Amino acid sequence: MAMARRGAGRDGRPTLEQVAARAGVGRGTVSRVINGSPRVSDRTRAAVEQAIADLGYVPHRAARALAANRSDAIALVVPEAETRLFAEPFFSGILRGVSAELADTDIQLLLTLIRTPKERTRFAQYAASHRVDGVLLVSVHGDDPLPDQLADMGLPVVMTGRRSADEPVPHVDCDNVGGAQLAVEHLLGRGRSRVATITGPADMYVARCRLDGYQEALRAAGREPAVELVGRGDFTEESGHAAMRELVARRPDLDAVFCASDLMAIGARRALRELGRSVPDDVALVGFDDSALARHLDPPLTSVRQPMEGMGRAMTRALLAEISDGGTDRPRLVLPTELVRRSSS
């Protein structure tokens, strides 16, 4: 029966101790080299790397994570029901960006839906037990305490969007005000004079920003926003449908609608068809997101493009940097939007 090499692991593979002995350094120095610590001289680093190559040493990923007090996992938390996660293009775009940014890493992604206070508490306890190295938060409502709870634990957190203008938690957002202004300026420039809007939920800063952009564009054109031209939605198709019917009942003379999401625009388009209004002849229609749905609507939907996949990538890069350097750079990024013109307006 063959004996394992002295100092080798139980499976016969080279160990950290063997690498240290061959390089003529201590075990801790080898660990620092493997983990990329700058506290090692170039000469010592070269000796350790040569010993690793000579022995064919492969670091044990779980052991490295344990030694660094890391789990090599991050959580993507969506405080919405699963029906919205799979129905709304925004979430799939963010998820594509996050997944693409993690593709070349060893980090695992945990997708978590939080629908109730109990689930929020359970996730906070899970995070506090160091099961994940950081958290990406998407679609946070204004009264959600989870970002602050996680930050108070010292856990790296990056959000998509903000809860307010002075959001203290690192975040990646898009120019919601500017995007809404582009949409309304386009409608006014096409000769529309009675421009309505369908907003998102009032407890979300993103929805308030898009409403602000709508109102600012009207005022810049010398038109005072009218309360009866504002319909309330929640970013879902059904809310867009209901709000559109209410708007037409209140203001049958409206000739354009800016919807704060493509899904609500789809619902609004369905309501207009039921009411015998043609798009764009009777009512011009603009959405927000520039999702794949916008291109396939009949007629194709003019929409404000927000870089959903780019936002997912940016927030993931920011979180990984915060995990790596301990939060020396706390990003507050706002990415640009643009208007994509199609035949609905």
Side-chain angles (χ1 to χ4, degrees):
M1 180 177 176
M3 297 294 289
R5 285 176 296 167
R6 184 179 178 186
R10 292 182 180 179
D11 56 5
R13 293 188 301 178
T15 66
L16 201 69
E17 288 78 9
Q18 286 181 306
V19 173
R22 188 177 187 90
V25 298
R27 186 178 187 279
T29 300
V30 176
S31 294
R32 284 192 288 275
V33 171
I34 291 172
N35 289 300
S37 171
R39 296 184 299 137
V40 180
S41 70
D42 292 341
R43 182 176 179 180
T44 299
R45 186 182 306 280
V48 171
E49 289 174 349
Q50 186 62 53
I52 288 172
D54 291 345
L55 294 172
Y57 174 73
V58 178
H60 191 283
R61 183 168 171 266
R64 283 182 60 188
L66 182 62
N69 195 27
R70 295 263 295 272
S71 66
D72 281 344
I74 63 173
L76 176 64
V77 177
V78 182
E80 302 285 359
E82 62 274 11
T83 52
R84 295 195 65 175
L85 174 67
F86 295 110
E88 296 190 22
F90 174 77
F91 296 120
S92 60
I94 294 292
L95 183 56
R96 281 196 307 273
V98 173
S99 299
E101 199 63 32
L102 292 177
D104 294 330
T105 75
D106 291 328
I107 294 175
Q108 299 296 312
L109 180 65
L110 172 68
L111 177 61
T112 302
L113 303 182
I114 294 180
R115 294 150 292 194
T116 65
K118 181 179 179 180
E119 289 179 337
R120 184 190 304 117
T121 299
R122 187 165 60 214
F123 177 77
Q125 293 170 343
Y126 179 87
S129 65
H130 305 290
R131 305 286 184 87
V132 293
D133 297 322
V135 177
L136 300 170
L137 282 169
V138 182
S139 188
V140 177
H141 293 252
D143 60 351
D144 192 337
L146 185 60
D148 298 319
Q149 289 175 339
L150 297 174
D152 289 345
M153 295 175 194
L155 191 67
V157 180
V158 178
M159 301 194 311
T160 296
R162 293 170 278 177
R163 292 169 295 175
S164 66
D166 56 353
E167 175 61 64
V169 175
H171 55 267
V172 176
D173 205 353
C174 77
D175 184 5
N176 292 292
V177 174
Q181 288 175 311
L182 289 174
V184 177
E185 288 167 0
H186 166 72
L187 291 169
L188 294 173
R190 301 287 288 177
R192 306 294 170 152
S193 58
R194 296 170 297 280
V195 182
T197 187
I198 298 176
T199 75
D203 68 338
M204 296 187 73
Y205 183 65
V206 58
R208 298 198 300 274
C209 285
R210 292 176 190 177
L211 177 59
D212 288 345
Y214 161 83
Q215 294 171 334
E216 288 176 19
L218 289 177
R219 292 191 178 104
R223 304 165 187 268
E224 189 60 30
V227 174
E228 65 269 19
L229 284 173
V230 177
R232 301 290 176 178
D234 62 8
F235 290 140
T236 64
E237 180 178 346
E238 285 307 314
S239 72
H241 178 270
M244 188 73 257
R245 293 189 69 94
E246 291 175 5
L247 282 169
V248 171
R250 290 201 303 261
R251 286 293 300 266
D253 61 336
L254 65 83
D255 60 6
V257 184
F258 162 57
C259 297
S261 78
D262 284 354
L263 269 185
M264 292 196 298
I266 291 171
R269 174 69 185 92
R270 179 159 54 91
L272 289 168
R273 180 172 289 170
E274 293 167 356
L275 295 167
R277 307 292 180 95
S278 66
V279 175
D281 294 339
D282 297 327
V283 180
L285 192 62
V286 177
F288 201 115
D289 286 330
D290 190 37
S291 62
L293 299 173
R295 297 190 293 274
H296 298 298
L297 193 63
D298 180 23
L301 180 67
T302 296
S303 185
V304 178
R305 176 178 294 162
Q306 61 170 333
M308 295 176 285
E309 188 167 334
M311 292 169 70
R313 280 183 171 272
M315 66 188 297
T316 305
R317 286 195 298 270
L319 183 66
L320 294 181
E322 191 170 349
I323 291 169
S324 175
D325 64 22
T328 57
D329 181 22
R330 299 175 65 80
R332 291 168 175 80
L333 303 177
V334 178
L335 304 183
T337 52
E338 62 177 306
L339 184 69
V340 180
R341 296 170 175 83
R342 299 191 180 93
S343 54
S344 70
S345 61

